[in-house]
Structure formats: C-alpha cells, structure tokens
Amino acid sequence: MLAEESIVEHPVEVKVEEPTNEEVDPILHERQEWIKHMRLKFCIRPEFEITKTMIHEDGTLNQDYFRPPKGAKPEEARKWTDNDKTLLIQGIEKYGIGHFTEISRELLPKWSGNDLRLKTIRLIGRQNLQLYKGWKGNADDISRQFEKNKEVGLKYGTWKQGCLVYDDDGLVEQELLAMKRSDTATSADNEDSEVAVDDDVEMEDAIR
C-alpha cells in the first residue's frame, strides 16, 4: 500500500499595489489640496481656543473633534402639545403675529421665535405672514382666518400641505390685499359705530 503524500498548502501572498501619483486624478487631488489649504486658513482662530483641535496640521479633519463628548445625553425630542398651542394663541392675542421672540420669552421658552413662526403658519393657514404683521386675534379669530385662507387656496389651487401659498401670477396676493382692505374698512366702521353709541349714551346721561 502506497503511503499517501501529505499535501501542504502554502499561503499565497497577495501583493496590493499602492496607487502611484500617476493614477490619482489630478483634478480631484487639486481640489483636496485646495480644501486643506482653506481649512488651515480659516478653521483655526487664535481667539477661539476650541478651534485649535478642529483639524490636523496637514489640513485633514480631526474626526474626534466632531464626535459628541463621552457621557453626553442626546437632546430630548420636543413634542408640540395642545397646551403649547393654547399658549401660542394667547401670545398672538397679546403681542400679535410677528412678535414671536416675546411670545417665546414669556410663554414658550422651549420653542424659539422661528419655531413659533412655523407653528403660526400651520395655525392660521398661510405660508407668508407678512400681511399679518402685528395682527392680533383669539382662537375664534384665528380659526376664521384659517378658513378664509383655505377658501382662497382652493379657489386658485394653491392650498398646499395645509396652508395657502402664493401663485406665480400674483392672483392670490391681489385677493389677500383686497381682503385686508375690506377687513380694515369693516373694522373702521365698527369703531365709528361704537363711538356713535358712546356719544348717544353720554348725551342721554347729560339730559338726565
């Protein structure tokens, strides 16, 4: 019986060739070098100690700089509640649309002025709040404005994701300006009526 020959497998050495300078895309290399140069020029600011470890000496990013510190707790996710909505309405009634910093400071400190601006867009149903600057109203007033904006949006096909947006032809803006003039005139008539009633009451009191 012939003895079986043992087969010894020798590991095959695989040689990985490093890319030579000729194989590197010269345009890409130039861009990378320019980025490194700009980082070295602008990222490190002597007056800000924290920036000294932002990049390495060759201009590459220090990844450890951008990682959150050990033990850091992630920010708690904020949830917009019905109570927050009520407080926002109170703020609009007191300060008016556009005064979101004041509303945030006094009533909703967890939400920034910009956060409240975005919430108001949803609340009143109009993306551009410029014509509402300084406008004040309670929950019922806001609800009526929402319905008016929705009506205009459906009329011109510009009711998008729950709010009115402007069209390219300016038709929406024209109608909103007309509505504002009408509301202003109605408000002025109501004030005149109230003044007339007050005058009548004063006259009756004088006669008595």
Side-chain angles (χ1 to χ4, degrees):
M1 184 175 181
L2 298 175
E4 294 183 358
E5 295 182 358
S6 60
I7 300 175
V8 179
E9 294 184 358
H10 296 282
V12 178
E13 183 178 353
V14 179
K15 185 177 181 181
V16 179
E17 296 184 358
E18 296 292 335
T20 61
N21 292 335
E22 290 76 10
E23 294 174 341
V24 177
D25 185 345
I27 297 178
L28 178 60
H29 178 71
E30 183 180 353
R31 288 178 179 174
Q32 291 174 339
E33 291 302 314
W34 179 83
I35 291 172
K36 292 178 183 178
H37 172 73
M38 297 304 288
R39 286 175 183 161
L40 290 170
K41 187 174 182 180
F42 294 107
C43 288
I44 299 178
R45 303 287 297 275
E47 63 270 29
F48 299 114
E49 184 73 21
I50 194 173
T51 64
K52 292 183 178 180
T53 58
M54 184 182 295
I55 57 176
H56 297 298
E57 293 181 357
D58 62 352
T60 56
L61 292 175
N62 177 11
Q63 297 297 335
D64 290 335
Y65 176 89
F66 297 96
R67 293 190 179 97
K70 293 181 179 180
K73 295 181 180 179
E75 292 185 5
E76 295 183 3
R78 295 175 302 170
K79 184 177 180 181
W80 185 252
T81 65
D82 289 339
N83 184 58
D84 292 334
K85 178 181 176 181
T86 299
L87 291 173
L88 175 57
I89 293 173
Q90 291 177 5
I92 292 174
E93 187 173 7
K94 180 177 180 179
Y95 293 105
I97 289 179
H99 297 274
F100 299 118
T101 300
E102 293 92 329
I103 298 173
S104 170
R105 186 185 303 118
E106 181 175 327
L107 301 172
L108 293 158
K110 290 185 178 180
W111 300 89
S112 69
N114 189 57
D115 291 332
L116 299 181
R117 180 183 66 83
L118 296 174
K119 296 297 182 183
T120 301
I121 287 173
R122 292 292 184 187
L123 189 64
I124 208 161
R126 188 187 297 180
Q127 186 181 52
N128 190 329
L129 298 177
Q130 185 176 359
L131 295 178
Y132 276 124
K133 187 174 182 180
W135 183 90
K136 297 179 180 180
N138 57 28
D140 291 336
D141 297 326
I142 292 172
S143 179
R144 282 191 289 269
Q145 290 297 316
F146 180 91
E147 292 302 324
K148 286 182 179 180
N149 288 324
K150 184 177 181 179
E151 183 180 351
V152 174
L154 294 176
K155 178 180 178 180
Y156 293 104
T158 56
W159 184 251
K160 307 294 183 181
Q161 298 182 349
C163 66
L164 172 65
V165 299
Y166 284 7
D167 62 315
D168 295 334
D169 299 324
L171 299 176
V172 170
E173 186 176 13
Q174 290 178 14
E175 181 138 350
L176 293 179
L177 288 171
M179 286 170 53
K180 185 175 183 180
R181 287 192 294 268
S182 177
D183 291 343
T184 301
T186 301
S187 178
D189 290 341
N190 291 337
E191 289 179 2
D192 291 341
S193 298
E194 291 176 1
V195 171
V197 171
D198 291 340
D199 290 342
D200 291 341
V201 171
E202 290 177 0
M203 185 175 295
E204 290 178 2
D205 291 340
I207 294 173
R208 291 175 186 173

